[in-house]
């Protein structure tokens, strides 16, 4: 041992002597002076001194310059030393990201840099210290990620940025073999990769919206597992039914929908107003499961977040026109330009859609069920400073449809009726919203003030004049949402705190039902609800792969209602059928938590677990026939979910899996009496258990595949119909097919060929609580083929290619024939698009 010790010391002495000799020789060569012992740099013998040396070796970036070029922009990272910066790069959505190790920002203005809209096509340039030893540079494109080249100069590292605009085809359009699939979402009120979000979310970006010709909520549901969206009648738009994860909207008398629908952060307040003209869309996000701690309006089933294309300083003109079967015609346009360079931008868009009826009325010989819709939107965007954005949004639409036609449950021809009276369906809406945003170094803030007015008028005649329903409904919705949240640069700890106020004045002016031989009955209702809520969520990364999150919402609502129920006599006078309800009131409040965790097993695989509470407040039923039927209780849901999100083959394949269970107490169900007609709202229990699988793949150049499968078993746990006395426990919940699936295959060649085929399938679907009316499993096929050039495209399309017959609604009223609405037959046509 002593010999080993001596040999070790001898070795250290030799190494030390060599080191001193090299230092001396180097000094002699430089200045011909023999070094002093104090001039010799000795190796560090402590961790503290070694860390200090590492800190000194970190390259300081002392300045960032932006220089405009003929092709776009140069971002110059200025350094005071001759060492070269090295970077690793990646693309996320419309952002180019460069990570630079062994470097730190040491700017005179602070340790972050941000410049909004430096040139046309670039939304912002952001630089920040990622940690104590690295920098992250982010360049965000307006619509697509910019092209960026890195090179060195005498000043430092230079990023040569070339914007990619919608007029200048992106890499995806120019090179169909783009290997990765990355989608940026704002599901958690911050931009992030969809694969990093611990929520089941279906994302449909702008290109997929255009490729799939998605312009309605029916089209959106067709891309989403366990989401079913159907019009109630053939050729009409007076009402729409949906279900998401086994929860439906069949009860249109409740105070609030189970799913929250947003267009540009503005909520839609009533499920009878959902048949909207969707135009000029940037992205669609469908979040499944309760969402109460990040959004202003509470939702127990999920959120459909529709985002329009935002105004930018760059000029753009887009037009689209189509013509098809049943004289269907459509025209859309959008215009975008700067009113004041880099400060004030304007975007306007409009659409007209029309179609002749395809249902023959034997009584008159007319083709009924025609459709007509006109819609327009405008946005004025002001960016007074890089940190502030102010936008004014307006959305207006008018629908003037013909007869919303129903038929018998089992007719010889679903598109042939005998109506002595022909009806109509009209829906008009106008919306104004002011959105103010601040994006600073310490926090972000958002204020959204909105007003939405909607008016609906319907005349729905029944088969052979058996019944006529005349409805006049209007609603005025005022909302105010305010959010404060952590800055975009926050990583390990992220937070959000918000407040929400909603005032809804809902009026049923004159709902009349005419029973030939029995008379006419009239109802009126005036419902006013005030909602107040505070909500928040925190996300904390405990260790690098593990993040925990928790959120809480407190919501309080006050509802008041006036209503009448009367018979209309032959001379026009009214006879009350019950005492009028005046200024009836109900108040509710609830704490709504959400918490869970996500674990990043590796860069390609993430798992998450969430437990969340869903809630719908109680309310007042204007259709009540007695005091006992007037009030209905609060609905409360506990939702449990486990999910996996994964990417494979260099991001050519994305596969996401989720398993969920909803346990619902006091579910608000619309109850039907012995005659098959509705009136009472009952509170029952149900449970829904299901699984969802979503896939996106790029198996070859220009070839894209999208697929999803959903299964849900949604049944009533205990349901005793108080009108009929029938026990409906263990029955399937209506409108929720047990299986939904979709497959889309698409090819886009470098030469301009475009082809797309879609398959959408549904399992058995029930339409009533007794499970007597049902639609057997069926599938629909849509197809498109066309040619695309740089500035234009022309396509042939067909929907319901094989002319499948299926029902979209079913009622036991009137007894014994019942009533049903049927889906559209095959439609086909040609579409032309152009960009300037």
């Amino acid at each position: 041992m002593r010999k080993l010790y001596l040999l070790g010391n001898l070795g250290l002495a030799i190494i030390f002597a060599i080191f001193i000799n090299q230092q001396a020789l180097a000094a002699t060569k430089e200045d011909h002076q023999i070094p002093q012992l104090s001039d010799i740099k000795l190796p560090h013998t402590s961790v503290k001194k070694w860390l200090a040396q590492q800190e000194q070796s970190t390259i300081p970036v002392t300045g960032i310059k932006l220089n405009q070029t003929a092709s776009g922009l140069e971002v110059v990272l200025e350094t005071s030393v001759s060492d070269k910066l090295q970077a690793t790069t990646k693309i996320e959505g419309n952002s180019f990201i460069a990570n630079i190790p062994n470097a730190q920002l040491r700017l005179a203005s602070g340790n972050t840099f941000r410049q909004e809209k430096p040139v046309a096509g670039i939304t912002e340039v952001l630089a920040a210290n990622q940690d104590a030893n690295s920098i992250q540079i982010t360049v965000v494109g307006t619509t697509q990620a910019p092209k960026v080249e890195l090179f060195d100069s005498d000043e430092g590292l230079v990023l040569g940025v070339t914007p990619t605009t919608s007029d200048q085809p992106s890499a995806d359009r120019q090179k169909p073999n783009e290997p990765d699939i990355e989608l940026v979402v704002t599901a958690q009120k911050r931009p992030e990769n969809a694969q990093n979000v611990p929520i089941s979310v279906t994302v449909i970006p702008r290109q997929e919206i255009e490729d799939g010709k998605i312009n309605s909520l029916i089209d959106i549901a067709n891309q989403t597992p366990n989401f079913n969206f159907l019009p109630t009648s053939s050729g009409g738009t007076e009402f729409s039914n949906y279900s998401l994860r086994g929860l439906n909207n069949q009860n249109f008398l409740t105070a609030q929908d189970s799913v929250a629908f947003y267009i540009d952060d503005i909520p839609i307040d009533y499920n009878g107003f959902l048949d909207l003209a969707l135009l000029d869309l940037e992205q669609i996000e469908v979040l499944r499961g309760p969402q109460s701690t990040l959004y202003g309006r509470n939702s127990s089933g999920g959120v459909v977040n529709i985002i329009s294309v935002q105004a930018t300083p760059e000029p753009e003109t887009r037009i689209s026109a189509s013509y098809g079967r049943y004289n269907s015609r459509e025209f859309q346009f959008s215009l975008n330009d700067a009113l004041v360079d880099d400060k004030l931008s304007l975007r306007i868009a409009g659409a007209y859609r029309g179609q002749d009826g395809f249902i023959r009325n034997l009584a008159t010989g007319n083709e009924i069920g025609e459709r007509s819709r006109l819609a327009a939107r405008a946005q004025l965007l002001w960016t007074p400073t890089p940190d502030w954005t102010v936008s004014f949004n307006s959305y207006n639409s008018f629908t003037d449809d013909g007869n919303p036609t129903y038929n018998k449950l089992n007719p010889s021809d679903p598109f042939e009726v005998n109506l002595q009276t022909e009806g109509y369906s009209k829906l008009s809406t106008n919306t104004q919203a002011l959105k103010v945003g601040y994006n600073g170094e310490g926090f972000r803030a958002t204020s959204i003030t909105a007003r939405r007015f909607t008016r609906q008028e319907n005349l729905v005649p029944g088969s052979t004049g058996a019944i006529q329903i005349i409805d006049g409904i209007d609603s005025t919705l005022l909302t105010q949402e305010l959010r404060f949240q952590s800055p975009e640069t926050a990583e390990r700890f992220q937070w959000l705190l918000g407040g929400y106020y909603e005032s809804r004045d809902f009026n049923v002016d004159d709902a009349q039902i005419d029973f030939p031989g029995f008379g006419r009955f009239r109802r009126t209702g005036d419902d006013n609800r005030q909602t107040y809520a505070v909500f928040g969520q925190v996300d904390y990364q405990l260790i690098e792969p593990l993040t925990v999150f928790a959120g809480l919402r407190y919501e309080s609502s006050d509802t008041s209602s006036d209503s009448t129920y009367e018979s209309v006599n032959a001379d026009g006078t009214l006879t009350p059928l019950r005492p009028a309800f005046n200024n009836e009131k109900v108040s509710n409040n609830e704490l709504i938590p959400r918490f869970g965790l996500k674990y990043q097993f590796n860069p390609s695989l993430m798992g998450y677990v969430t437990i969340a509470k869903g809630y719908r407040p109680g309310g007042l039923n204007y259709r009540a026939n007695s005091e006992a039927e007037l009030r209905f209780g609060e609905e409360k849901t506990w939702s449990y979910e486990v999910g996996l999100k994964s990417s494979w083959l260099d991001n050519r394949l994305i596969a996401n899996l989720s398993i969920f269970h909803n346990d619902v107490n006091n579910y608000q169900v619309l109850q039907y009496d012995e005659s098959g007609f509705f009136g009472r709202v009952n509170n029952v229990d149900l449970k829904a258990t299901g699984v969802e699988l979503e896939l996106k793949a790029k198996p070859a150049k220009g070839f894209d595949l999208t697929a999803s499968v959903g299964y849900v078993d949604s049944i009533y746990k205990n349901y005793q119909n108080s009108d009929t006395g029938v026990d409906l426990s263990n029955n399937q919940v209506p409108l929720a097919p047990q299986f939904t699936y979709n497959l889309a295959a698409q090819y886009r060649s470098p030469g301009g060929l475009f082809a797309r085929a879609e398959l959408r399938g549904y399992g058995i679907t029930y339409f009533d609580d007794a499970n007597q009316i049902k639609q057997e499993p069926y599938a629909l096929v849509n197809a498109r083929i066309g040619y695309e050039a740089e500035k234009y495209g022309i396509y042939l399309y067909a929907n319901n290619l094989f002319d499948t017959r299926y029902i979209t609604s079913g009622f036991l009223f009137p007894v014994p024939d019942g009533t049903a609405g049927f889906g559209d037959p095959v439609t086909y046509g040609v579409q032309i698009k152009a960009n300037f």
Side-chain angles (χ1 to χ4, degrees):
M1 182 65 68
R2 180 176 177 81
K3 290 182 179 180
L4 290 174
Y5 176 77
L6 292 172
L7 287 173
N9 284 340
L10 179 61
L12 288 174
I14 293 172
I15 293 171
F16 185 68
I18 293 173
F19 179 83
I20 293 176
N21 187 54
Q22 288 178 337
Q23 294 287 334
L25 288 174
T28 303
K29 288 181 181 179
E30 290 180 8
D31 50 13
H32 306 286
Q33 294 181 0
I34 298 175
Q36 302 297 315
L37 186 61
S38 59
D39 296 330
I40 299 173
K41 296 181 179 180
L42 300 176
H44 294 303
T45 58
S46 71
V47 173
K48 183 177 180 180
K49 292 182 178 180
W50 181 82
L51 289 174
Q53 183 188 37
Q54 292 298 108
E55 184 175 351
Q56 291 173 3
S57 66
T58 300
I59 301 171
V61 175
T62 56
I64 297 180
K65 288 198 311 184
L66 303 184
N67 302 325
Q68 291 194 23
T69 64
S71 60
L73 179 72
E74 284 186 351
V75 181
V76 183
L77 305 184
E78 298 178 318
T79 59
S80 58
V81 296
S82 59
D83 294 337
K84 295 181 179 180
L85 299 172
Q86 303 294 323
T88 59
T89 65
K90 63 179 179 179
I91 300 292
E92 287 189 0
N94 59 339
S95 299
F96 171 89
I97 299 174
N99 292 312
I100 305 172
N102 302 320
Q104 283 284 279
L105 291 179
R106 297 289 184 264
L107 309 178
S109 58
N111 294 333
T112 59
F113 172 89
R114 185 169 182 263
Q115 178 63 58
E116 287 193 350
K117 298 180 175 60
V119 295
I122 301 299
T123 301
E124 69 173 351
V125 176
L126 177 67
N129 291 326
Q130 195 171 17
D131 52 41
N133 199 39
S134 66
I135 297 172
Q136 185 174 88
I137 310 295
T138 304
V139 184
V140 183
T142 303
T143 55
Q144 291 97 26
K147 299 177 182 178
V148 180
E149 295 182 1
L150 278 67
F151 55 91
D152 293 309
S153 72
D154 293 338
E155 294 178 286
L157 181 66
V158 179
L159 285 71
V161 179
T162 302
T164 301
T165 67
S166 54
D167 288 339
Q168 178 183 356
S170 68
D172 282 338
R173 298 182 183 181
Q174 293 176 333
K175 300 177 182 179
N177 60 328
E178 188 68 30
D180 58 346
I181 306 170
E182 291 193 7
L183 299 172
V184 174
V185 298
T186 57
Q188 298 193 113
K189 299 302 179 184
R190 57 180 182 263
E192 55 189 331
N193 191 313
Q195 291 301 102
N196 296 331
V197 178
I199 298 173
S200 291
V201 53
T202 296
V203 185
I204 312 174
R206 184 177 185 179
Q207 190 61 58
E208 290 185 23
I209 293 171
E210 296 178 2
D211 292 344
K213 206 171 182 293
I214 296 172
N215 55 28
S216 71
L217 288 169
I218 296 174
D219 298 328
I220 294 172
N222 287 346
Q223 312 294 318
T224 309
N226 284 327
F227 191 13
N228 187 31
F229 198 98
L230 297 168
T232 57
S233 66
S234 304
T237 56
E238 87 286 359
F239 198 77
S240 297
N241 283 329
Y242 70 78
S243 69
L244 183 60
R245 284 192 168 180
L247 306 181
N248 66 35
N249 74 323
Q250 193 174 54
N251 183 4
F252 58 89
L253 301 178
T254 55
Q256 187 169 300
D257 263 13
S258 59
V259 175
F261 295 84
Y262 287 88
I263 298 181
D264 297 329
D265 292 313
I266 303 166
I268 302 170
D269 61 305
Y270 177 58
N271 50 26
F273 303 155
L274 292 178
D275 188 40
L276 300 173
L278 304 182
L279 70 156
D280 200 30
L281 301 184
E282 178 66 34
Q283 186 157 289
I284 300 162
E285 302 167 3
V286 183
L287 288 67
R288 301 183 292 280
Q291 309 295 328
S292 303
T293 62
L294 294 168
Y295 285 80
R297 168 167 276 212
N298 174 30
S299 62
S300 58
V303 166
V304 178
N305 191 24
I306 300 169
I307 305 166
S308 303
V309 179
Q310 302 299 292
T312 66
E314 57 188 282
E316 178 191 73
T317 302
R318 299 164 66 91
I319 60 173
S320 170
S322 64
Y323 183 81
R325 192 185 186 194
Y326 303 119
N327 192 30
S328 65
R329 59 270 182 204
E330 180 177 339
F331 176 76
Q332 293 193 51
F333 76 93
S334 61
L335 300 172
N336 191 99
D337 208 347
L339 301 180
V340 178
D341 290 343
D342 299 326
K343 295 295 183 182
L344 189 64
S345 302
L346 173 67
R347 186 176 187 91
I348 60 174
Y352 167 76
R353 296 172 189 151
Q355 177 180 299
D356 291 349
F358 52 78
I359 302 169
R360 183 168 180 77
N361 186 6
L362 298 177
T364 63
N366 296 332
E367 301 292 332
I368 62 175
E370 64 272 15
R371 306 172 187 177
S372 177
R373 175 180 291 157
L374 188 65
R377 63 172 292 262
Q379 183 189 62
L380 196 62
L381 180 65
W382 180 39
T383 53
T385 69
D387 293 335
W388 288 91
T389 59
V390 181
S391 64
F392 176 77
N393 296 275
S394 179
Y395 178 93
N396 301 272
S397 69
F398 177 67
T399 300
D400 187 6
D401 287 353
N403 197 99
T405 308
Y406 297 88
N407 211 324
K408 297 179 181 180
L409 280 172
N410 297 294
S412 57
D413 186 340
F415 304 125
E416 190 174 86
V417 296
N418 188 0
L419 300 178
Q420 302 302 317
T421 302
E422 294 181 359
Y424 56 83
S425 177
K426 299 179 181 180
L427 178 67
S428 60
T429 181
N430 65 82
T431 304
Q432 303 81 37
L434 179 66
K435 183 176 181 179
V436 181
Y438 171 75
N439 194 343
E441 293 183 9
F443 68 94
R444 286 174 289 160
T446 305
S447 171
I448 305 166
T449 307
R451 173 194 177 272
R452 180 181 179 84
F453 175 79
T454 311
R455 171 75 180 172
Q456 184 184 63
E457 299 176 32
N458 298 318
L459 172 58
V460 187
S463 177
T464 66
I467 179 176
Q468 296 180 24
I469 301 175
I470 307 170
D471 284 326
I473 301 172
D474 66 69
S475 174
T476 302
L477 184 74
L478 301 174
T479 62
Q480 173 63 57
E481 183 172 351
L482 185 62
R483 296 193 304 264
F484 296 93
Q485 61 191 114
S486 52
E488 291 183 358
T489 54
E491 292 186 350
R492 293 192 64 182
F493 180 69
Q494 296 171 328
W495 55 270
L496 180 146
L497 179 64
Y500 180 73
Y501 167 75
E502 177 180 298
S503 171
R504 180 184 124 174
D505 188 13
F506 185 85
N507 301 291
V508 180
D509 296 335
D510 193 11
Q512 300 189 35
I513 301 176
D514 187 6
F515 294 88
F518 292 92
R520 173 169 289 184
F521 303 89
R522 174 181 179 270
R523 293 182 187 271
T524 64
D526 184 357
D527 186 275
N528 183 273
R529 187 177 76 245
Q530 310 286 319
T531 302
Y532 307 85
V534 291
F535 56 93
Q537 181 171 305
V538 295
D539 298 49
Y540 183 66
Q541 189 178 37
L542 290 174
I543 55 176
E544 185 172 351
L546 178 63
T547 300
V548 296
F549 53 88
L552 185 65
R553 178 189 187 91
Y554 175 76
E555 179 170 305
S556 176
S557 63
D558 298 302
T559 303
S560 63
S561 178
D562 302 328
S563 63
T564 64
Y565 180 32
E566 303 155 322
S567 65
V568 183
N569 303 318
D571 59 359
T573 59
L574 302 175
T575 300
L577 297 176
R578 64 156 170 81
F581 295 134
N582 295 313
N583 201 28
E584 298 287 343
K585 296 181 181 296
V586 65
S587 297
N588 300 271
N589 58 81
E590 188 69 17
L591 281 172
I592 310 168
R594 176 178 183 264
F595 48 92
L597 58 87
K598 74 170 185 177
Y599 191 88
Q600 197 76 42
F601 295 96
N602 57 55
S604 299
L605 179 63
M606 184 268 283
Y608 65 91
V609 177
T610 60
I611 301 175
K613 187 176 184 179
Y615 172 74
R616 286 203 289 174
L620 298 164
N621 176 13
Y622 79 89
R623 296 188 65 88
N625 294 328
S626 66
E627 177 74 28
E629 300 177 6
L630 180 61
R631 288 169 172 78
F632 54 88
E634 300 167 288
E635 175 184 308
K636 300 177 182 180
T637 302
W638 280 105
S639 179
Y640 310 89
E641 182 173 345
V642 178
L644 288 173
K645 293 190 174 186
S646 65
S647 58
W648 309 86
L649 306 175
D650 193 24
N651 277 358
R652 291 179 184 270
L653 172 65
I654 285 179
N656 297 333
L657 175 70
S658 59
I659 301 171
F660 64 89
H661 175 74
N662 295 327
D663 195 357
V664 188
N665 293 320
N666 289 330
Y667 184 67
Q668 297 167 357
V669 64
L670 188 63
Q671 185 169 279
Y672 289 75
D673 59 23
E674 294 89 344
S675 65
F677 205 68
F678 57 85
R680 185 194 299 263
V681 178
N682 202 343
N683 286 103
V684 304
D685 295 341
L686 71 77
K687 61 180 179 180
T689 304
V691 61
E692 296 159 350
L693 175 65
E694 293 186 281
L695 300 171
K696 285 182 180 287
K698 291 181 176 288
K701 293 182 179 180
F703 190 34
D704 291 271
L705 288 174
T706 303
S708 72
V709 178
Y711 167 81
V712 61
D713 182 32
S714 182
I715 62 173
Y716 293 119
K717 289 167 51 177
N718 59 340
Y719 182 4
Q720 187 83 19
N721 187 311
S722 56
D723 286 315
T724 65
V726 176
D727 187 0
L728 302 172
S729 301
N730 298 318
N731 281 11
Q732 293 287 326
V733 174
L735 307 177
Q738 284 194 320
F739 284 99
T740 57
Y741 58 90
N742 72 279
L743 172 65
Q746 177 177 296
Y747 177 70
R748 177 177 272 119
S749 75
L753 174 66
F754 174 85
R756 180 183 176 92
E758 300 176 352
L759 171 68
R760 172 70 175 181
Y762 306 83
I764 188 170
T765 306
Y766 295 98
F767 291 93
D768 67 313
D769 295 327
N771 291 176
Q772 297 181 33
I773 306 173
K774 65 181 178 180
Q775 169 63 55
E776 297 293 342
Y778 68 100
L780 303 175
V781 175
N782 302 331
R784 297 186 77 204
I785 188 169
Y787 173 78
E788 298 175 328
E790 182 177 335
K791 298 289 186 180
Y792 69 90
I794 182 168
Y795 312 85
L796 299 174
Y797 68 87
N799 296 325
N800 191 6
L801 183 62
F802 299 108
D803 203 20
T804 301
R805 296 286 185 264
Y806 60 98
I807 66 172
T808 60
S809 65
F811 310 93
L812 293 174
F813 181 86
V815 177
D817 294 328
T819 304
F822 287 82
D824 289 358
V826 58
T827 58
Y828 42 78
V830 60
Q831 180 191 30
I832 299 174
K833 297 192 300 185
N835 304 327
F836 305 100

